Amino acid sequence: MKNQRHLLILSFLLGVFPLHADDLDDFIRSQMQKRGIPALSLAIIQDGKILKAQSYGFIDKQGKVPVTTNTLFQAGSVSKSVAAMGALYLVEQNQLFLDENVNIKLKSWKVPDNEFTKDKKVTLRGILSHTTGLTVHGFPGYTVGAKIPSVVQVLDGTAPANTPPVRVDFVPGSRWRYSGGGYTVMQQLMVDVTGVDFPAFMKNKVLSPLGMKNSTYQQPLPPELAKLTATGHYSNRSLVEGRWHIYPEMAAAGLWTTPSDLARFAISIQNAYAGKPGSVLSQSMTRQMLTDQKNRDGLGVFLQGDSTMLRFGHSGRDEGFDALLTASVDKGQGVVIMINANDNSHMMGRIVDFIASYYHWDGFPVKTKPAAVAVDSKTLTAFEGRYELFNNRIITFEADNQRLLTIEDSFVDEEFVPVGTNKFTSTDRNVSVIFNPDATGHVTSFRLQDNDQRYERTVPRIGPLVNTRRTNADPDPSRTPKIMAALQAMVKGGKLVEEASGLTVGAKRDFVGGMREPETLKSLTFIHSENVAGRGIQRHGSEVSEIVTYQLKSNQPDTYILVHLTSEGLVTDCDLVEK
C-alpha cells in the first residue's frame, strides 16, 4: 500500500493522471516522514478565502498529543510582515513617515550617528525594505527562565542581550542587506510614537481587526496560551530546551500564530490591493507595500513572479520553528505552512509546488522528469562532498545508485539524476548542477543553473564527505591546541570570545553569545585539510583559506567538525557534521 501511494504521487508529478481527494494529504505526510517533521499545519487560500486548514502530526516527537489548526506556532521572520502592517497603519495616521529620519520620533533610544549617516539617515522605508545599513541579521531568542533584556538593551547589545549592538555600517539606501536589528528599531519607534506596548498595539490595530484571534506578540506567553503551543525541534530533531525561546525582538521574530490567521493577514492584503473592504491599510498604501524597493523587497514582504503573476510573502525561522507564507497579489490564491522544526530542506517548497499543481494555479514552475544517462561510479563518487551554496549555507552531495542525493540535517532531501557526464538535474525543481573537475579530476566547484529564476553561478567546494576519508597525519599538529582554545571560547561566548587570540574580529562579534552545540569539547583528531584559498568562501566577514576537518569528542555523540581558517590561521567559523 505504501509503494502504491508513492506511485500515485509520482504519477501526479509526471502528469500521468489527476489527483484523488486525499493525494495532497498523502504527499504532505510522506514529506513529513521523509524529513522527520513532528508537526505541520497549513492553510490554503483559494478565491480569496481559506479553502483548506489542516494539521498533521503531534506537538512534539513523542507523538502523544496531536496538533490542531488552533495550535500555536512561532512565525519567526513572518512576524516582520505583520509588524510592517502596523507601522504602515501609523504612516496612514500621519504618526510616522516613510522617509523621515527615525531619530526624530524615537524617544527611548536613538540610532547612533556615524560617518555613514552623515548625509543619509535611517528611515522607516529603509527599515521595512532592509536598506538602512543597520546590523544584526537575526536573533536566537532566550531560553525559558533566562534573563530577558529590554528592547533598548538589545539595541545597544548590553547584558543580558545575546546579540551585538544594532548600528549602521554602510550608507543608508546604498544597498540591500537583511536586518532583524532594523525591525527592532522599528518596534521601539512604534512604542515611542504610540505610548502603547507593542503586543497591545498590534492586537488592537492589526490582529483583532483582521480576525487573527489566535495570534499574539506577547513574549513570554501567558500560561493560558503556553498550553496551546507546539514544541520546537532543532535541525537534528532534538527538543528545544523549555519547548521554545522567548523573543523580546517581537516585531522581528516574536509572533505566535496559526496558518489560518496568517492566511487572513494575506487575504487582507489581497482585498486592499483590489480596493475591497476587510483590511487595515488603504489600497494606495497596500500598493506601496507591494512595490519593489530594492532586491525584490517591498515594505515588509518579499516579491516573486512578474507583473502578471506577482506574489508576496515571507519565510521565518525561530529556534525550533519554521514558517512560510506565499500568496498571489490579485489571483486570490496562497499557502501558509508552519512546522515545529528547523528544516533546511526544500520540503516546504515541494509542498507549495504540489498544492499549486493540485489547484491548477498559474505562475508556478512546471516540472518534468529529466531523462537520465549512465555515469560510472568512479565519476559519480568524485562529485560527492560539501559545497558552500550561500554564505554559511552548506549543500552536501552523496552518490547513490546512479544519482546524487543532497543531505540536509542528516536526512535525504533532493535527488539529482545525471543528464550528462558531469551535469545533474533535480527531480523536484528546474535546477541543474554542472561539476567542474580540474586537469587531475579534482572538483573545486560546480555551476548552479536555475531555469526558473534564469540565473547561473559558481558554488565552491568545501571538501569531501568525512566517511570517505581515513585518519591522516596532521601536517601542522602545533595548531590543534590553538584551534581547540578558539572553539572552546566560541562555545562559551562572553569574555572568553572577546579575549581569544585565535579568532577573527567577525567571529568575536558574532559568537559573543556562545554556541548552542556542542556544549563541551573534549578532544580533536585530525582527519583532513582542504586548501580553499581563492574559492570565494567567506565566513563572518573573513575570507576562508583552509578548512580543517577533525573528529570531535564532546557531549554530543561522536561527530565531526569543520573548522574554517583564514590565511593567518585564525578561526572564523565551524560546522558540525555527521559524515
Side-chain angles (χ1 to χ4, degrees):
M1 183 66 185
K2 183 177 179 181
N3 290 335
Q4 186 179 17
R5 179 175 295 173
H6 288 167
L7 285 172
L8 281 170
I9 294 167
L10 180 61
S11 298
F12 167 73
L13 290 174
L14 299 180
V16 176
F17 52 79
L19 282 165
H20 298 290
D22 61 350
D23 287 341
L24 174 56
D25 291 337
D26 288 348
F27 181 76
I28 291 170
R29 290 190 177 99
S30 71
Q31 289 292 308
M32 290 175 63
Q33 182 178 20
K34 175 182 177 182
R35 299 296 306 165
I37 305 298
L40 183 150
S41 186
L42 62 73
I44 298 172
I45 303 167
Q46 179 80 306
D47 299 323
K49 298 175 182 176
I50 297 176
L51 175 67
K52 177 183 177 75
Q54 184 73 43
S55 59
Y56 310 82
F58 301 88
I59 65 166
D60 58 37
K61 65 181 182 180
Q62 273 73 42
K64 296 179 180 178
V65 181
V67 292
T68 73
T69 55
N70 291 325
T71 299
L72 299 181
F73 291 74
Q74 287 188 327
S77 288
V78 183
S79 306
K80 295 179 176 68
S81 297
V82 182
M85 183 173 283
L88 294 174
Y89 168 86
L90 291 175
V91 172
E92 296 219 87
Q93 300 301 311
N94 291 320
Q95 291 183 266
L96 290 175
F97 299 93
L98 280 170
D99 298 305
E100 179 181 73
N101 179 359
V102 295
N103 275 348
I104 293 174
K105 298 285 173 58
L106 280 167
K107 300 173 184 176
S108 307
W109 180 88
K110 303 282 186 182
V111 177
D113 280 316
N114 57 28
E115 67 271 26
F116 301 108
T117 61
K118 182 178 179 182
D119 298 316
K120 297 285 187 179
K121 303 299 183 183
V122 172
T123 65
L124 179 58
R125 185 188 300 277
I127 287 173
L128 290 170
S129 59
H130 299 286
T131 57
T132 60
L134 287 166
T135 58
V136 185
H137 177 93
F139 300 99
Y142 298 83
T143 55
V144 173
K147 290 184 178 180
I148 309 300
S150 66
V151 174
V152 170
Q153 286 174 322
V154 170
L155 293 172
D156 279 333
T158 56
N162 59 10
T163 47
V166 178
R167 299 291 186 263
V168 177
D169 68 354
F170 65 76
V171 176
S174 62
R175 59 188 175 95
W176 183 95
R177 184 185 64 201
Y178 192 83
S179 173
Y183 273 73
T184 309
V185 173
M186 185 186 80
Q187 177 181 329
Q188 191 60 55
L189 175 67
M190 294 167 69
V191 170
D192 285 350
V193 164
T194 63
V196 179
D197 72 271
F198 188 76
F201 170 80
M202 289 301 299
K203 178 181 179 181
N204 294 334
K205 301 303 182 183
V206 176
L207 304 179
S208 292
L210 297 183
M212 298 172 68
K213 63 182 185 301
N214 291 320
S215 301
T216 182
Y217 277 95
Q218 289 175 278
Q219 293 282 343
L221 279 175
E224 64 271 16
L225 293 180
K227 297 175 183 177
L228 305 177
T229 62
T231 297
H233 299 73
Y234 289 112
S235 58
N236 63 2
R237 304 302 177 253
S238 63
L239 295 170
V240 174
E241 182 183 354
R243 301 187 63 213
W244 20 258
H245 278 193
I246 297 168
Y247 291 85
E249 309 90 356
M250 303 168 194
L255 179 64
W256 282 97
T257 187
T258 66
S260 292
D261 272 8
L262 286 179
R264 294 180 181 97
F265 166 77
I267 291 168
S268 78
I269 293 176
Q270 293 171 333
N271 287 338
Y273 185 87
K276 298 177 181 178
S279 179
V280 169
L281 302 179
S282 68
Q283 183 180 44
S284 61
M285 181 58 72
T286 301
R287 296 198 168 196
Q288 277 202 73
M289 186 182 194
L290 300 178
T291 298
D292 185 9
Q293 306 294 312
K294 194 184 289 284
N295 203 41
R296 300 292 281 163
D297 195 353
L299 299 177
V301 293
F302 291 104
L303 306 172
Q304 289 181 296
D306 56 27
S307 58
T308 60
M309 296 292 176
L310 189 64
R311 299 195 303 276
F312 64 92
H314 214 296
S315 60
R317 169 166 292 186
D318 279 348
E319 298 290 291
F321 294 87
D322 283 355
L324 174 69
L325 180 158
T326 184
S328 63
V329 168
D330 59 3
K331 304 296 181 185
Q333 302 160 346
V335 184
V336 182
I337 303 172
M338 306 187 81
I339 61 176
N340 62 340
N342 294 141
D343 186 68
N344 295 307
S345 75
H346 292 94
M347 183 192 75
M348 285 190 177
R350 284 192 287 268
I351 293 174
V352 170
D353 289 345
F354 195 95
I355 290 169
S357 295
Y358 187 92
Y359 291 106
H360 309 292
W361 293 348
D362 293 329
F364 286 82
V366 177
K367 180 64 184 170
T368 57
K369 185 174 178 62
V373 301
V375 176
D376 67 83
S377 59
K378 184 178 179 181
T379 299
L380 199 66
T381 302
F383 301 147
E384 284 189 319
R386 266 178 270 275
Y387 300 80
E388 187 85 342
L389 184 60
F390 300 109
N391 188 325
N392 206 17
R393 175 80 163 82
I394 294 173
I395 184 171
T396 301
F397 283 105
E398 185 175 41
D400 178 70
N401 191 26
Q402 281 287 303
R403 58 188 177 161
L404 291 174
L405 302 176
T406 63
I407 308 299
E408 294 284 358
D409 312 324
S410 300
F411 297 95
V412 172
D413 180 23
E414 197 168 9
E415 177 184 349
F416 284 78
V417 297
V419 295
T421 305
N422 63 336
K423 182 176 181 179
F424 295 74
T425 297
S426 170
T427 59
D428 289 332
R429 302 177 294 144
N430 292 324
V431 171
S432 296
V433 296
I434 303 168
F435 294 92
N436 306 304
D438 62 19
T440 65
H442 184 60
V443 176
T444 60
S445 66
F446 68 77
R447 292 202 318 276
L448 175 65
Q449 293 180 337
D450 188 324
N451 296 326
D452 293 325
Q453 299 295 325
R454 296 182 179 87
Y455 75 79
E456 178 177 315
R457 63 185 179 84
T458 298
V459 178
R461 179 182 171 95
I462 289 176
L465 300 182
V466 181
N467 62 2
T468 65
R469 311 292 302 189
R470 294 181 179 179
T471 301
N472 299 300
D474 188 347
D476 185 8
S478 65
R479 67 184 172 182
T480 300
K482 300 174 186 176
I483 290 174
M484 184 66 158
L487 294 174
Q488 288 173 329
M490 291 166 68
V491 167
K492 296 295 184 182
K495 282 287 185 182
L496 280 178
V497 162
E498 294 173 11
E499 297 172 356
S501 60
L503 292 173
T504 62
V505 172
K508 289 183 178 182
R509 177 192 65 226
D510 296 337
F511 288 97
V512 69
M515 290 194 300
R516 183 178 61 83
E517 291 181 341
E519 295 176 2
T520 60
L521 296 94
K522 297 177 182 177
S523 68
L524 297 174
T525 302
F526 178 84
I527 298 292
H528 174 72
S529 176
E530 179 112 350
N531 182 349
V532 298
R535 296 186 190 176
I537 300 171
Q538 188 180 90
R539 293 291 183 94
H540 301 285
S542 293
E543 293 292 326
V544 179
S545 179
E546 183 180 6
I547 298 176
V548 184
T549 302
Y550 292 99
Q551 186 170 17
L552 171 68
K553 287 193 179 294
S554 68
N555 62 300
Q556 302 292 331
D558 287 356
T559 185
Y560 301 92
I561 189 166
L562 311 181
V563 182
H564 298 252
L565 301 177
T566 66
S567 58
E568 295 84 15
L570 298 177
V571 175
T572 194
D573 202 5
C574 65
D575 298 299
L576 293 178
V577 298
E578 292 188 3
K579 60 172 62 177

